[in-house]
Amino acid sequence: MTRGVVAVTGGASGIGLAIARAAAGAGYRVAVADRDRVALEAAREALPKEALFSQLDVTDEARVEGWIAEVSDAATLVGLVTAAGIAADVHVLETSADQFRRILDVNVTGTFLCAKAAARRMRETGGGSIVTIASVSGVRGSKGRAAYGSSKAAVINLTQVLAVDLAADGIRANAVCPGPVETPLVARVHTPETRAHWLAHVPQRRYARPEEMAGAVLFLLDPAQSGFVTGAALPVDGGFAGAGLTAIGR
């Protein structure tokens, strides 16, 4: 018997796929949504046959609501993970208004639409857990992150509002804030110079594996482990967000 269904946006690659695999391994049925049809087909090989797959633009409100309805009709919706997102590493003076709006639309509006649709269903079935994927770039100012950092800071605050507004309905909301992670998105955005800069400032001196994000998400999904945790923003970042001066030359 499954533990209900966990819906994962951006679930066909990177952090989202790692979370979907971990959730399936923990006994949840998983529903994966992603814009990339090719990645969705590849993800079918990595997930159990009972997993659900949908092509989805998280900024399309009607399609988001339809997807959540489809997922909820298949099994009780107990969790939502909003891993869909886009990024850019562009100096603030070179960031266009269109780029800024697009990143906020996907990362913030997309998270909002998915969380709202999922919460409506969860409220009908006794509650659930919403886990947003934010970033340490939303916690601290980082170079080139005018749009991306602003969007992830907004995701953190949105998550706190969700926690407050939905607590009476038995719904918890928490954010995971990754540091640098070896994903296809990061491979596109991080230049060799950017990578060296991260490695110099992350106390553990490495990038994370996507699977290392999944453990934190599973903890926040499971009411037996985190039932009194809501409104939290959990850094999973090798010590970056909390670090001061680190040892010179190490």
Side-chain angles (χ1 to χ4, degrees), residues 70-86:
E70 293 166 9
V71 171
S72 300
D73 289 343
T76 301
L77 181 64
V78 297
L80 169 73
V81 183
T82 60
I86 57 176

Side-chain angles (χ1 to χ4, degrees), residues 70-166:
E70 293 166 9
V71 171
S72 300
D73 289 343
T76 301
L77 181 64
V78 297
L80 169 73
V81 183
T82 60
I86 57 176
D89 184 350
V90 183
H91 191 282
V92 63
L93 297 182
E94 298 171 3
T95 301
S96 70
D98 285 345
Q99 183 179 50
F100 194 92
R101 291 189 185 102
R102 176 60 180 160
I103 289 175
L104 264 67
D105 196 27
V106 173
N107 294 358
V108 185
T109 305
T111 297
F112 164 70
L113 293 176
C114 292
K116 182 172 71 168
R120 285 174 172 162
R121 289 288 181 149
M122 291 176 179
R123 181 170 58 181
E124 297 171 356
T125 55
S129 175
I130 296 170
V131 182
T132 62
I133 304 301
S135 171
V136 291
S137 293
V139 177
R140 301 182 66 179
S142 296
K143 67 96 178 170
R145 301 300 196 275
Y148 182 72
S150 296
S151 75
K152 292 303 187 177
V155 166
I156 292 169
N157 188 267
L158 171 61
T159 304
Q160 294 168 336
V161 174
L162 291 170
V164 172
D165 281 357
L166 300 175

Side-chain angles (χ1 to χ4, degrees), residues 198-206 237-246 250:
W198 272 110
L199 293 173
H201 288 83
V202 172
Q204 288 194 356
R205 299 293 189 261
R206 67 178 179 89
D237 63 355
F240 174 79
L245 288 176
T246 58
R250 296 183 61 186

Side-chain angles (χ1 to χ4, degrees), residues 3 10 28 39 53 58 61 66 73 79 85 104-105 114 118 128 133-135 141 155 191 217 225 242 244:
R3 304 168 67 178
Y28 296 101
F53 298 88
V58 295
E61 184 172 11
D73 289 343
L104 264 67
D105 196 27
C114 292
I133 304 301
S135 171
V155 166
T191 65
V217 172
Q225 298 186 64

